[in-house]
Amino acid sequence: MKRYPLWKHLLVATLLVLAALYALPSAYPTVPALELRGASGPLLRDAATTLLDGADLAHAGGRTEEARAFLTFDAVDDQIQAFRLLADEFEGEAVVALTSLSSAPAWLEGFGAKAIALGLDLRGGVHFLLDVDTAFAVDRFMGSAREVLDGAFDEEGIAAEVELRPGPVLAVVLADPAQLRDAVDLITTTEPRLTLLEADGTIEGRLEGLALEQVIELAVGQNVETLRRRVDELGVAEPTIARQGDDRIVVQLPGLQDTARAKDIIGRRAALELRGVDEAASASQARIDRALRGFRSARTELMPYAGGSGHVFVDRRIIVTGDNIVDASYGSDEAGRPAVHLALDAVGANRIKAYTRRNVGQQMAIVLLDRDTAEVISAPRIESELHARFLIHGGGMDVAEANELALLLRSGSLAAPIDIVEERTIGPSLGADNIRKGLGAVTGGFILVAVFIAAYYGVFGAVSVAALVANLLCLTALLAVLGANLTLPGLAGFALTLGMAIDANVLINERIREELAAGEPPGSAIEAGYARAAATIIDANVTTLIAGLALFALGSGPVRGFAVVLCLGIATSMFSAVVVSRAFADLVYGVRKGRVREVSIG
Amino acid sequence: MRFFNPKRNFRVMRHRGRTAVLSAVLVAVSLAALAIRGPNFSVDFTGGTLVEVAASASMDAAGVRAALAAAELPEPLVQTTSDGAYLLRLQTDDQEAGAAVLAALQAADPAAELRRIEFVGPQVSDELFTAGALALVVVCAGIVVYLSLRFKWRMAVGAIVANFHDVVFILGTFSLFGWEFNLAVLAAVLAILGYSVNESVVIFDRVRENLRKSRANVAIVEVLDASITQTWARTIITHGSTQLAVLAMLLFGGDALFYFALALTIGIFASIYSSILIAGPVALRLGLSREDFLNPTKAARDGAVV
C-alpha cells in the first residue's frame, strides 16, 4: 500500500485542529445575561450590581465594554427579575436588554472563535416582515414637487395651475400656451426627476423608471434607519433590521418579551408637524359641523384633538416638521405635568422663531400623523418667541405616553407607512424546547448511525465514524465562522447530513470489499477503493446540491437555514469521507511494516 | 458483517408487469388524494394566524373556544400538541389577531403562556406558495437536465419517472392523511428529490459496467437484476443510515420536526421502491437495449461506478 504523503497528513491534522478550535465555543452552553447600554459601561455595571445586591437578587458575573455592560445570571428567573428591576431604574438613562452569553473561555475569543449564532426559533424572539407603502412615498414626493413648482412658477411669473391628479400625475395647466417652452424648462431645472409629457397647454409630469426607483429606495432606506433607531431604544440585544427585496424590511428582535410594545413602536409613522391654528373657525360649531360633513377648505383643515375631546382647524401650511427635530426627551413642565422637550436644527429654529415672533398670543397646533390618522396633541398659546429648544405638552399625556412620544420623535418618523405582513413570535420556553429537541435529534442520529456503521464494517467502520466526527466538527466550525444562523430546520439538516454523509463511506467500503473479493491484495484494495469511489461520491452529491441551492435561493428564514446546512454539509462530508477517512485508514494500515495482510472491513 | 450481499440475484424484473400495476395504483391514489383533498397547507401557504399557547390543566379545548368566543374572535381550529399545548389556527388577515387571542386566553387562564404566534399575511403566503412551487419546478428541472447529460434518454426518462413518482407519492400521502404541509415539509420533499435520484444513477451505472463485462447474448433483464442485486448492500446501508438519523428526528425532534421527518421517511422508502421497480422497468418499456450503454455520454464516462 502506498503511504499517504506526509504533507496530506499534516494538512488534514491542521484542518481538523482548526475545525475543533472553531467548533469548540459552540459546545459551551449559553448563560442568561442582561446587556446595559449607556454612557459608560463600567459605571453602569457598578450601578447595576449595587441595585441588584440591594434588592437581594442573585447575579453571577459579567464584563464591561466602553459603553456597554453585561451581567450574567445562573437562572432565567433571576435574569427576568433583574431585567424588570433594572429596566425600571435605568429608564431614560440606559437601555436594558435581555440576551444570552456564551460561557466559552475568553482565550477562544482571542482566536476569533465564536459560538454558532442561533436563529429566532431556537432563542426565542420576534420576526417581523414589513411592507413599505411605496405608493405613499410617491404621493408624498409628488405633493412636495407640487409645492416647489407652484412656488417656482410664481417666482418666474408664469401663470399656471399646478394640480395633483390620480396616478399620481402632476398636471401643469398654463394660462398662456405660448409659455410652454419656458414652463418645461423651468420644471426640468427645478424637478429633473419628473418625466414630462406635453399636450395642448398642459404639461403632465410623472415619476418613472430610475427616478421612481430612487424615490422608493430613499423612502425604504430612511425607514430602515428610523426603525434601527427605534429598535435601539427598545432594549433588544443584537437586533437585525435589513431590507428584503425592493419594498420589504425584515426586523428580528431576539429575546424580546413585550411584543405588543414592539409592534406599537415599530409600526407607528409618528410624523410631527407644527402648524398655525384658525381660532375663529375653530370657535364656530357650525363650521366644524360643516367640515365634518365633508366640506373642504383650501387654507385649513379640521383635525381632532388626541384623546377625543373636540376639533380644531389647523393651517394646511406647515411651520416645522419632525425632520427638523434633532433631539426629544421626556420630562415635565413648570407645573409638573409630563411633557416632551424638543430641540430643533437651525432651519427649524429659524422657522419657528420667525413664526412665533409674528404670532404671539395665537395658538399653535402640534400635530401627530400616523398611518391613517392626524391628531392634534395640543394647541398651546404662543406666549413668547420660541427658539431651538422648547417643550410641548398636552392631551393629558401620562409619563409613559410622553416617554413613547419622545422616543418616536427622537428616532424620526417613517418616510412611508409600513404594514406588518408576517410575524413569527417564538416564546423563550419554546426556543429552549426547540434547542433541546433539535440537539436530541442530532445526538440520537449520530449515535444510531455510528453504532450501525462500526458494527457493520469493523475497523473500517470505526474509520468511517471518525470521519463522521470530523464532518461534525468541520460543519460546526464552518457555520460558526460564516456566522450563519442555526435554526431548528438547520439542526434537522445537521442530523440528515450525518445520515447521508455515511453514503460516501459506504461507497468506499463496498468498493474495497469488492476489490478484496476480486483477489486484490489488501493494500492496493484500499487504495483502489478510495481512488475509484471519489468520482462516484462527487456524482452522488450533485443532485442534493441542486436541491440545496434551489432551497437557498427560493427559501426564506428557517428553510434557508436548512439549505445552508445541507449545502455546507455536502462539502464537509465529501471532504471528510474522501480526504480525512483516507488519512485515518492510512494511520491504521499504512504504518505497519511490510504488506498489509488482512483488512477488517466486516 | 454482511447481511446485505445476497448470493443469488434477485429476480425482480420478471415481476415488472405486476409491480407496474402496483406503481400505477399508488400514483393514481396519490393523484386522486391530491386532486380531491389537496395538501393540508399550513399558515405559511394559506395565510392566517397560528397561536400556540400552553395553558394550565384546568383549561380544555372547549374552554379555549369559549374564551375566544367571549372576546368575539373568529372560531379557531383547535388542536393539541404532544405536550398538551393548544394550537389555534385562525383564518384571518388581521395582523392583531394573535395578540388578541393571547389576551383572551390569558383573561380566562392567567397561567396561559405564549409559545408562538405565526401571522402570515395574504400577500406573503401567496409569495411563499409561488416560491415553493417554483423551487419544486427548479429542482425537478435541474434533475432532468442532470440526468439527460448523464444518461441516454431511455434511462434518463426512467430515472425521471421514478423521481416524479416519489414527489407525487409524498404529496399524495400527506393529502390523504391530512398531515400538515408546511415550509419544512416542502424542504424535506426537495432534499429527498435530490437525494433519491442518486439511487437510480447508481443502479444504471452498475448496469453499464456489467454490460461491458458480460457476453452479448445475456438478456438485458438479467443484467438489470444482477445490477440491482449487486448494489443492494449499498442501497440498504446508505438508506438505512439516513433513515436512522431521520428516526432520531421522529423520536426526539418533537412536534416541530415530526412532519419534516415523516416526509423524509416516506421519501426514503419511496425512493428505494421507485429506483428499483420504476426506473428500470420504464427504461425497459421504452426499449432499453445494449446499444444504449455502448457509447456512453461524456459525463457518464467520467463518472465512476459502484
Side-chain angles (χ1 to χ4, degrees):
Chain A
M1 174 175 177
K2 214 161 50 192
R3 285 301 311 273
Y4 207 46
L6 181 66
W7 70 267
K8 281 196 182 174
H9 271 297
L10 289 176
L11 184 71
V12 168
T14 316
L15 281 172
L16 286 185
V17 168
L18 279 177
L21 184 68
Y22 284 93
L24 192 57
S26 306
Y28 287 89
T30 56
V31 289
L34 289 183
E35 182 186 326
L36 309 165
R37 280 199 302 269
S40 152
L43 285 181
L44 272 173
R45 186 180 167 184
D46 289 347
T49 44
T50 314
L51 281 167
L52 291 179
D53 290 339
D56 236 4
L57 282 172
H59 55 101
R63 60 188 170 82
T64 54
E65 290 169 15
E66 199 178 323
R68 293 200 296 183
F70 292 92
L71 293 173
T72 58
F73 300 87
D74 290 328
V76 177
D77 281 347
D78 295 343
Q79 176 206 25
I80 303 278
Q81 283 188 25
F83 172 72
R84 295 209 178 109
L85 175 75
L86 295 180
D88 263 3
E89 290 286 342
F90 287 145
E91 173 114 50
E93 293 168 49
V95 175
V96 184
L98 289 161
T99 185
S100 55
L101 285 184
S102 169
S103 58
W107 61 267
L108 276 169
E109 243 175 71
F111 291 99
K114 285 177 306 200
I116 293 185
L118 297 182
L120 282 182
D121 56 347
L122 295 182
R123 63 194 294 195
V126 200
H127 159 104
F128 291 120
L129 183 62
L130 309 169
D131 194 64
V132 181
D133 186 348
T134 52
F136 181 95
V138 173
D139 281 342
R140 204 168 88 134
F141 170 84
M142 293 301 251
S144 78
R146 197 196 85 93
E147 298 289 324
V148 170
L149 287 181
D150 216 16
F153 281 123
D154 273 356
E155 240 170 68
E156 292 295 313
I158 301 175
E161 198 72 47
V162 188
E163 53 192 67
L164 206 52
R165 294 178 183 168
V169 175
L170 207 58
V172 180
V173 185
L174 293 172
D176 176 10
Q179 286 179 307
L180 189 73
R181 237 359 335 121
D182 293 340
V184 169
D185 287 346
L186 184 63
I187 298 174
T188 331
T189 45
T190 30
E191 191 40 90
R193 281 176 286 185
L194 289 173
T195 308
L196 301 180
L197 203 78
E198 302 151 31
D200 36 84
T202 306
I203 307 165
E204 287 189 347
R206 285 185 176 77
L207 201 53
E208 284 175 349
L210 209 60
L212 178 66
E213 276 172 35
Q214 276 173 354
V215 166
I216 291 173
E217 164 95 30
L218 203 69
V220 177
Q222 191 185 327
N223 274 5
V224 169
E225 284 313 308
T226 300
L227 288 173
R228 192 161 285 150
R229 285 192 295 268
R230 287 186 185 178
V231 164
D232 261 348
E233 310 248 358
L234 261 180
V236 179
E238 302 166 61
T240 307
I241 296 125
R243 292 185 64 151
Q244 183 176 300
D246 290 337
D247 52 3
R248 296 266 172 85
I249 300 170
V250 176
V251 176
Q252 295 195 327
L253 310 171
L256 189 81
Q257 300 269 303
D258 190 352
T259 59
R261 175 148 187 261
K263 266 193 208 172
D264 203 34
I265 291 202
I266 283 170
R268 289 185 62 181
R269 204 180 133 224
L272 187 87
E273 291 169 357
L274 301 183
R275 303 200 199 178
V277 172
D278 185 341
E279 289 181 56
S282 305
S284 153
Q285 191 58 43
R287 288 192 59 177
I288 290 178
D289 289 341
R290 219 161 42 220
L292 285 174
R293 282 199 303 271
F295 185 82
R296 277 171 54 92
S297 146
R299 207 179 56 78
T300 61
E301 59 186 312
L302 190 68
M303 282 187 189
Y305 274 111
S309 52
H311 291 78
V312 61
F313 278 99
V314 300
D315 288 349
R316 285 191 187 274
R317 240 194 72 210
I318 299 160
I319 311 165
V320 166
T321 74
D323 295 343
N324 300 112
I325 295 175
V326 289
D327 192 23
S329 57
Y330 88 107
S332 49
D333 62 6
E334 305 86 6
R337 287 174 301 176
V340 174
H341 295 263
L342 292 181
L344 299 183
D345 60 11
V347 176
N350 282 338
R351 286 205 201 135
I352 194 105
K353 221 160 111 180
Y355 184 85
T356 51
R357 192 187 310 135
R358 279 185 277 117
N359 293 285
V360 172
Q362 304 284 313
Q363 275 183 301
M364 184 175 68
I366 297 153
V367 178
L368 189 66
L369 303 162
D370 264 315
R371 191 185 174 96
D372 309 306
T373 59
E375 292 178 332
V376 175
I377 297 176
S378 67
R381 209 163 283 287
I382 301 164
E383 282 158 15
S384 58
E385 185 183 309
L386 290 175
H387 298 278
R389 291 174 175 277
F390 57 98
L391 62 83
I392 57 175
H393 53 233
M397 271 192 292
D398 63 23
V399 176
E401 281 166 355
N403 194 16
E404 186 170 311
L405 181 63
L407 187 163
L408 291 170
L409 294 178
R410 197 158 56 226
S411 52
S413 62
L414 292 175
I418 50 174
D419 274 323
I420 297 178
V421 289
E422 184 185 65
E423 175 198 339
R424 291 177 198 265
T425 298
I426 305 282
S429 66
L430 186 61
D433 227 31
N434 281 344
I435 293 190
R436 208 162 35 75
K437 286 172 176 163
L439 284 181
V442 175
T443 327
F446 178 80
I447 293 172
L448 287 175
V449 171
V451 168
F452 176 54
I453 289 301
Y456 193 77
Y457 284 120
V459 171
F460 260 88
V463 168
S464 304
V465 172
L468 206 57
V469 175
N471 186 13
L472 203 63
L473 287 181
C474 291
L475 188 52
T476 309
L478 212 52
L479 286 170
V481 170
L482 291 178
N485 269 354
L486 188 65
T487 60
L488 181 62
L491 273 172
F494 235 103
L496 188 64
T497 301
L498 290 182
M500 299 199 318
I502 264 311
D503 179 47
N505 294 99
V506 173
L507 289 168
I508 293 166
N509 295 352
E510 288 293 319
R511 177 57 88 167
I512 296 175
R513 279 183 175 185
E514 275 178 45
E515 300 288 334
L516 287 171
E520 283 287 321
S524 53
I526 295 174
E527 225 179 288
Y530 276 98
R532 293 192 190 155
T536 316
I537 291 166
I538 292 167
D539 206 31
N541 285 298
V542 171
T543 47
T544 313
L545 200 61
I546 293 176
L549 290 175
L551 262 177
F552 182 78
L554 294 161
S556 66
V559 170
R560 185 169 272 204
F562 172 71
V564 169
V565 174
L566 196 65
C567 292
L568 292 178
I570 288 170
T572 56
S573 62
M574 286 203 288
F575 169 73
S576 47
V578 177
V579 183
V580 179
S581 91
R582 175 77 173 85
F584 286 149
D586 189 65
L587 288 179
V588 176
Y589 288 105
V591 288
R592 299 184 190 171
K593 291 261 186 301
R595 286 167 62 95
V596 181
R597 296 199 187 285
E598 203 183 314
V599 177
S600 163
I601 191 157
Chain B
M1 237 191 283
R2 289 171 191 231
F3 304 123
F4 312 115
N5 300 57
K7 294 279 177 291
R8 272 191 306 173
N9 282 352
F10 301 141
R11 300 199 157 174
V12 282
M13 284 305 132
R14 64 159 64 163
H15 301 296
R16 63 180 187 276
R18 259 165 280 177
T19 57
V21 173
L22 176 63
S23 307
V25 169
L26 288 179
V27 170
V29 170
S30 302
L31 286 175
L34 254 176
I36 297 165
R37 289 174 63 107
N40 175 17
F41 287 119
S42 69
V43 281
D44 296 327
F45 300 113
T46 61
T49 301
L50 179 113
V51 184
E52 186 178 330
V53 179
S56 54
S58 60
M59 197 78 167
D60 57 6
V64 169
R65 282 205 185 82
L68 263 62
E72 293 181 356
L73 285 158
E75 170 93 29
L77 187 76
V78 183
Q79 287 171 293
T80 39
T81 66
S82 61
D83 49 5
Y86 290 99
L87 263 184
L88 314 174
R89 251 169 89 166
L90 284 85
Q91 203 56 52
T92 167
D93 294 349
D94 181 8
Q95 171 259 315
E96 304 289 339
V101 166
L102 183 66
L105 288 178
Q106 281 175 336
D109 172 15
E113 187 205 345
L114 174 73
R115 290 170 63 85
R116 67 181 158 131
I117 294 178
E118 288 186 9
F119 163 76
V120 182
Q123 208 187 344
V124 174
S125 62
D126 286 353
E127 284 167 15
L128 284 175
F129 191 88
T130 317
L134 193 61
L136 201 59
V137 171
V138 166
V139 171
C140 287
I143 286 168
V144 168
V145 169
Y146 169 79
L147 285 172
S148 41
L149 289 175
R150 189 80 173 65
F151 293 109
K152 295 239 174 141
W153 72 273
R154 289 188 181 86
M155 282 165 289
V157 171
I160 290 163
V161 171
N163 235 279
F164 287 0
H165 160 272
D166 300 349
V167 182
V168 169
F169 188 69
I170 302 175
L171 297 182
T173 316
F174 266 73
S175 305
L176 189 65
F177 293 103
W179 293 328
E180 188 183 78
F181 194 93
N182 55 28
L183 275 174
V185 172
L186 177 72
V189 171
L190 293 176
I192 218 72
L193 252 180
Y195 165 84
S196 78
V197 145
N198 196 34
E199 192 58 38
S200 312
V201 171
V202 166
I203 293 176
F204 282 140
D205 274 350
R206 177 65 71 147
V207 171
R208 177 158 41 208
E209 183 179 328
N210 284 341
L211 272 175
R212 271 190 227 135
K213 285 193 291 197
S214 68
R215 293 185 310 275
N217 59 358
V218 179
I220 190 123
V221 174
E222 279 174 40
V223 177
L224 259 172
D225 275 342
S227 307
I228 289 167
T229 312
Q230 287 156 12
T231 51
W232 184 240
R234 182 259 173 194
T235 303
I236 292 302
I237 298 163
T238 293
H239 290 302
S241 40
T242 308
Q243 185 56 50
L244 283 177
V246 174
L247 186 69
M249 276 183 234
L250 279 172
L251 292 179
F252 309 118
D255 292 353
L257 289 181
F258 183 77
Y259 289 117
F260 175 81
L262 197 59
L264 289 174
T265 305
I266 297 169
I268 288 170
F269 284 100
S271 79
I272 297 176
Y273 171 85
S274 68
S275 56
I276 293 175
L277 292 171
I278 294 184
V282 167
L284 282 176
R285 183 89 212 154
L286 291 170
L288 183 73
S289 71
R290 199 167 266 278
E291 281 68 46
D292 286 310
F293 294 95
L294 288 183
N295 299 305
T297 57
K298 168 84 173 64
R301 258 200 314 278
D302 294 346
V305 175
V306 180

